[in-house]
Amino acid sequence: MKIISNPIKLKNYLKTIDKTIGFIPTMGALHEGHLTLIREAKKENDFIVVSIFVNPTQFSADEDLDKYPRRDDADKKICELAGVDILFFPHVDDIYSEDEVSISSPNIRGYVLEGFTRPSHFNGVLTVVNKLLNIVNPSRAYFGKKDAQQLNLIELMVKQLFMNVEIVAVNTVRDVDGLALSSRNIYLSKEQRNKALLIPNSLNLASNLIKNGELNSKNIIQKMRDFLDDLEILYIEILDREFNQIKNVKLKDTIILVEVKVANTRLLDNLWL
Ligand code: AMP
């Protein structure tokens, strides 16, 4: 496995590769969720590039950029063992300069849900993903469904900016207890983690309600709210795959999204129906 930090060097190197490239952008502290993205990419591409870059522009001043978990040595080993061909490990100065061109997220879809409480977040996400896709120029790029709004906005950017990459969505990987894997889970104490388990359980509750015939979004959301009463709920929404609010659940065209805060840790989860 080659480790490259310079974007131009990587770009030039990849130009000499006549293979399908699968790309997995990450912020490191790799876990089984990231590894699943890598495995999916290996099934469909001949050459695998992973990036590790904790992108400062998607954090606001009061967020956890400095505290964000970094496990560089372990991550390098994990990538090597997973059969990654290139690990792109840029420094902030390799990616950003002082006076920057940037991408703005759409005025509506970028400012609801997570974008409501983190108004500049998706500008930063889309800007960095745009840069990374331009550097790597992959055939396919892999993103987790856990970050459903991020995935939706990246798909929108690729479509609206006529970009040449296929975006592949990968199912959420969970721990044995049901909690969606996230690099931020290490912030949780044992007690907080137990509380956090209410999140996947609230989605199971919704799933059971739907199986028993309850399709009304308002009723389902209310029951989930009651269930999550002990936690600070940032939002619970029932949307179609285009991210429009819907009055009734439509099978195969619905996502139930939840974000809560446990102590200072934001936790996202969702259910794709
Ligand atoms: P991150 O390092 O948190 O920015 O995540 C990098 C990529 O991995 C994103 O596309 C995430 O959606 C995806 N990802 C993170 N956690 C999971 C998970 N538990 N299951 C599947 N994909 C995930």
Side-chain angles (χ1 to χ4, degrees):
M1 182 178 82
K2 267 182 178 300
I3 302 178
I4 299 180
S5 62
N6 183 297
I8 304 297
K9 214 168 143 189
L10 175 61
K11 224 172 144 69
N12 288 336
Y13 182 82
L14 290 173
K15 271 189 203 149
T16 66
I17 304 275
D18 187 20
K19 291 178 174 172
T20 51
I21 297 174
F23 177 44
I24 303 97
T26 81
M27 298 212 298
L30 301 179
H31 51 64
E32 195 56 35
H34 300 111
L35 276 171
T36 303
L37 267 60
I38 295 173
R39 279 189 216 110
E40 287 302 309
K42 278 181 80 77
K43 282 188 207 157
E44 298 174 321
N45 305 274
D46 306 321
F47 195 87
I48 303 300
V49 180
V50 169
S51 65
I52 295 182
F53 181 61
V54 181
N55 174 36
T57 64
Q58 70 190 67
F59 291 80
S60 63
D62 60 339
E63 287 182 340
D64 58 349
L65 174 63
D66 293 337
K67 278 197 313 163
Y68 196 83
R70 294 181 201 240
R71 299 214 202 100
D72 299 355
D73 291 339
D75 286 349
K76 285 176 193 165
K77 285 200 186 103
I78 289 171
C79 286
E80 180 128 45
L81 289 172
V84 170
D85 295 289
I86 292 186
L87 176 58
F88 179 43
F89 217 128
H91 300 288
V92 175
D93 304 349
D94 295 315
I95 298 293
Y96 290 110
S97 34
E98 271 198 359
D99 194 17
E100 276 276 315
V101 172
S102 62
I103 302 275
S104 304
S105 55
N107 288 334
I108 299 168
R109 280 203 219 184
Y111 292 89
V112 291
L113 306 169
E114 204 179 351
F116 185 73
T117 45
R118 306 176 80 189
S120 59
H121 175 65
F122 288 114
N123 294 342
V125 170
L126 294 181
T127 297
V128 80
V129 171
N130 190 286
K131 284 174 183 260
L132 292 170
L133 291 173
N134 286 334
I135 295 164
V136 178
N137 194 19
S139 319
R140 301 181 187 85
Y142 294 76
F143 293 90
K145 287 187 183 177
K146 181 176 84 75
D147 299 288
Q149 189 178 12
Q150 167 175 289
L151 170 66
N152 178 265
L153 290 170
I154 291 167
E155 284 173 338
L156 206 62
M157 173 176 75
V158 165
K159 186 172 159 213
Q160 293 181 343
L161 299 186
F162 302 99
M163 295 166 72
N164 278 326
V165 58
E166 182 188 333
I167 301 298
V168 182
V170 179
N171 288 338
T172 300
V173 180
R174 297 175 180 283
D175 226 325
V176 275
D177 56 10
L179 190 65
L181 292 177
S182 163
S183 305
R184 287 192 167 98
N185 289 354
I186 59 159
Y187 299 149
L188 301 172
S189 67
K190 207 172 165 194
E191 194 189 323
Q192 289 163 351
R193 194 186 160 96
N194 280 338
K195 274 191 165 183
L197 288 178
L198 288 171
I199 307 163
N201 289 337
S202 74
L203 291 168
N204 290 339
L205 168 79
S207 170
N208 286 331
L209 287 168
I210 293 163
K211 277 183 198 144
N212 288 323
E214 175 64 88
L215 296 180
N216 183 279
S217 301
K218 229 169 137 186
N219 295 345
I220 298 168
I221 290 172
Q222 189 53 53
K223 291 201 170 109
M224 289 177 72
R225 280 196 173 277
D226 295 343
F227 188 83
L228 291 170
D229 197 33
D230 266 358
L231 304 180
E232 184 185 340
I233 300 171
L234 298 175
Y235 59 79
I236 302 174
E237 289 285 353
I238 299 190
L239 307 177
D240 67 15
R241 298 277 166 94
E242 297 292 309
F243 270 61
N244 304 305
Q245 281 185 332
I246 45 178
K247 277 195 180 147
N248 290 301
V249 166
K250 290 182 271 176
L251 291 182
K252 299 213 165 121
D253 186 24
T254 298
I255 313 176
I256 305 182
L257 301 106
V258 187
E259 184 171 16
V260 304
K261 238 174 158 181
V262 177
N264 278 327
T265 308
R266 292 164 170 276
L267 296 169
L268 292 172
D269 205 344
N270 53 60
L271 175 68
W272 294 56
L273 296 159

